Amino acid sequence: MENFNKLTPAEHERLTVLFEEMAEAIHAVGKILRHGYEGSSDDGVVNRGNLERELGDVRCAMIMLCEAGDVSKEKIHDLARLKRERIGKYLHHQ
């Protein structure tokens, strides 16, 4: 029986990895907003380092999606450049 979303098991797995890694990055941002970049958790991991690790994990998941042909690396880069051009009018401190 075909899955309702028509994803292959491999596509589903890659999206799950991305989903989980993005959630962990969001959690790391929340810790920084509460305790600053130099704050740390009980295990001594500094928040900045934790965010860097989680963003690296997100990037790894993105690379997996690109390499599999699920999304286009070129399109992502083009859209990121466009976002960078548009976002300035909404920023107050950059």
Side-chain angles (χ1 to χ4, degrees):
M1 185 167 120
E2 184 178 63
N3 195 336
F4 73 95
N5 58 19
K6 299 187 178 13
L7 294 175
T8 68
E11 290 168 332
H12 187 275
E13 184 174 55
R14 286 188 297 272
L15 288 171
T16 299
V17 169
L18 178 64
F19 175 85
E20 290 173 349
E21 298 304 344
M22 291 177 85
E24 290 172 7
I26 289 167
H27 185 74
V29 169
K31 285 186 173 184
I32 291 168
L33 291 173
R34 284 191 313 277
H35 307 293
Y37 276 114
E38 302 312 317
S40 62
S41 59
D42 292 337
D43 59 4
V45 176
V46 175
N47 292 340
R48 183 186 311 272
N50 187 46
L51 177 61
E52 291 167 339
R53 181 179 59 244
E54 297 305 342
L55 290 175
D57 291 350
V58 169
R59 184 159 184 190
C60 174
M62 291 174 63
I63 290 168
M64 290 170 57
L65 289 165
C66 291
E67 288 177 345
D70 297 326
V71 296
S72 165
K73 177 176 132 179
E74 293 76 20
K75 184 78 172 188
I76 291 169
H77 284 277
D78 290 344
L79 292 168
R81 278 189 288 278
L82 289 173
K83 179 65 172 184
R84 186 69 180 108
E85 292 170 7
R86 291 189 324 263
I87 198 168
K89 64 183 175 183
Y90 301 105
L91 301 176
H92 304 287
H93 306 286
Q94 300 305 309

